[in-house]
Amino acid sequence: MSAVLDPHAAHAHGDHHAPTGWRRWVYATNHKDIGTLYLLFAFVMLMVGGVLALGIRAELFQPGLQLVNPELFNQLTTMHGLIMVFGAIMPAFVGFANWMIPLQIGAADMAFARMNNFSFWLMIPAALMLVLSFFMPGGAPAAGWTLYAPLTLQMGPSMDAGIFAMHILGASSIMGSINIIVTILNMRAPGMTLMKMPMFCWTWLITAYLLIAVMPVLAGAITMTLTDRHFGTSFFNPAGGGDPVMYQHIFWFFGHPEVYIMILPAFGIISQVVPAFARKKLFGYASMVYATGSIAILSFVVWAHHMFTTGMPVTGQLFFMYSTMLIAVPTGVKIFNWIATMWKGSMTFETPMLWSVGFIFVFTIGGFTGLILSVAPIDINFQDTYYVVAHFHYVLVAGSLFAMFAGIYYWLPKWTGVMYSETHGKIHFWWSMISFNITFFPMHFLGLAGMPRRYADYPMQFADFNAIASVGGFAFGIAQVYFFVAVILPAMAGKGEKAPQKPWEGAEGLEWEVPSPAPFHTFENPPKLDATATKVIG
């Protein structure tokens, strides 16, 4: 076995020049440290966004205005959306990419280590600017997370802070994406062809291309908003001949691929975890790769299904309706392949597998509700109701977040070198799964009954389901605090039994060929791979 793959040699060789103290984190160029920073940042933002969500649910617990006025309520809904999408979900997946991609492809590190550091630290001032906008004159932006004109043209100075923060976060995403693409295409170990890469690397490669394609589109839309606000242009201002609907087209041309940016890495994580605990190869690997590519390409031609109520001609409605239905096909292929992987497998249900099976179940519900919304005449009735809120939370919470939990439990022993408590993990899973459904399932019925979203008050007939959803929301929030206290803190402190190099019997891939915890430097010499590109040969 080569020197660097011998656990003792790896420690002796790699860890003696690991920096210590605050410099290790501020000047971090090691992909593992930067991945950890991203994950911790994302968790903090998840908590901030969660507190805002609980403010929304507390207000909606019963009819009437209890806690906040309608202006502050709209600020809470807007900032909750922006912080969760750009501050929690996207950075968390970039954290997974930083940690796992070099380990999975046998690379020493990410391609551009200093740019990696820069792209992380850009997020801190951007996040501060977003959160502190609550304390600016007139309060935080309150135009909805989609930032539609003409509301954005009427907001106070916090809108400018929000636009600036989005620009910085977008620049960070683009730099991270360039890094991921160059790393995957140029730094794979000899013998690891593209079609032998782990699915997580494939989903991130495609996601990175999506990010580079659409982040500049968002930048264009918010820059036009900025010039409308301050420099006398009239892109979206009808008084000067502008068109607010044009903003919606530009925003959703970014916004729909963005939805897939937030779910494709989740598909990659599930495609790693399910085969490990079914103790079988992933069913239909090539079809999974092609399905991921198909989703990415189709995501660019479905954007206006968010806009069926804007007066679109029937021909346009039909095109976007059918193309939206078409994108359900590659997603269905993935779900079929995961189920086929589990079929007749020797399955065990440790915490990562519970999250994965839970993900497949609830994400499928979210997919079906989305398919219903793709039908234009139905969507016109459900537009801007709680049915839509229920749908996208089933896709983004039960989708992105649940898959992240699967990934965290799966790779945590490799990251920290200790095993988490299986009991605590299972409590977290069942607590989250039940409270999530108590929160968001009743929202389907609220939407079907006609309750509009972003309203701080509502008539009596919506009271019962809102009360149930609010109780579920608080339970779900407390479950995530429990996760941090009972699972993450002990693991970070090194408490728990020592993790073996390969804690999961069915797991495959190069990340299980290095010691646990993964040494500071891994694969300083490219590993020699066996024919499957999943094991190292001496």
Side-chain angles (χ1 to χ4, degrees), residues 248-403:
Q248 297 189 27
H249 277 290
I250 300 169
F251 179 86
W252 285 115
F253 190 77
F254 148 80
H256 203 80
E258 167 68 19
V259 173
Y260 293 99
I261 285 164
M262 290 188 282
I263 200 65
L264 289 181
F267 290 166
I269 291 172
I270 301 303
S271 301
Q272 301 289 132
V273 177
V274 168
F277 293 93
R279 290 161 180 78
K280 277 175 66 186
K281 284 259 184 260
L282 180 67
F283 180 89
Y285 172 90
S287 64
M288 287 292 246
V289 172
Y290 297 135
T292 310
S294 309
I295 289 172
I297 292 161
L298 287 170
S299 72
F300 284 101
V301 294
V302 298
W303 79 89
H305 66 213
H306 298 267
M307 300 169 56
F308 283 144
T309 55
T310 55
M312 193 187 297
V314 173
T315 320
Q317 290 189 13
L318 285 170
F319 170 80
F320 287 107
M321 183 164 103
Y322 292 137
S323 60
T324 304
M325 290 176 177
L326 190 62
I327 208 167
V329 175
T331 312
V333 167
K334 287 180 168 298
I335 288 168
F336 173 83
N337 284 12
W338 291 322
I339 293 169
T341 306
M342 291 189 269
W343 181 252
K344 293 192 172 175
S346 310
M347 289 208 290
T348 52
F349 292 97
E350 288 89 343
T351 311
M353 187 59 165
L354 281 178
W355 281 108
S356 299
V357 175
F359 162 92
I360 294 168
F361 174 66
V362 270
F363 177 78
T364 305
I365 295 173
F368 278 129
T369 57
L371 206 51
I372 289 162
L373 289 171
S374 74
V375 183
I378 297 178
D379 179 83
I380 287 165
N381 284 291
F382 295 161
Q383 171 84 8
D384 267 341
T385 68
Y386 264 79
Y387 188 89
V388 179
V389 178
H391 155 67
F392 69 69
H393 281 88
Y394 264 82
V395 174
L396 284 179
V397 183
S400 303
L401 189 66
F402 282 16

Side-chain angles (χ1 to χ4, degrees), residues 1 8 31 86 92 151 167 263 267 293 394 412 443 452 505:
M1 186 176 265
H8 308 294
H31 72 96
F86 296 102
L151 280 173
H167 271 301
I263 200 65
F267 290 166
Y394 264 82
L412 197 64
M443 291 185 190
E505 185 193 325

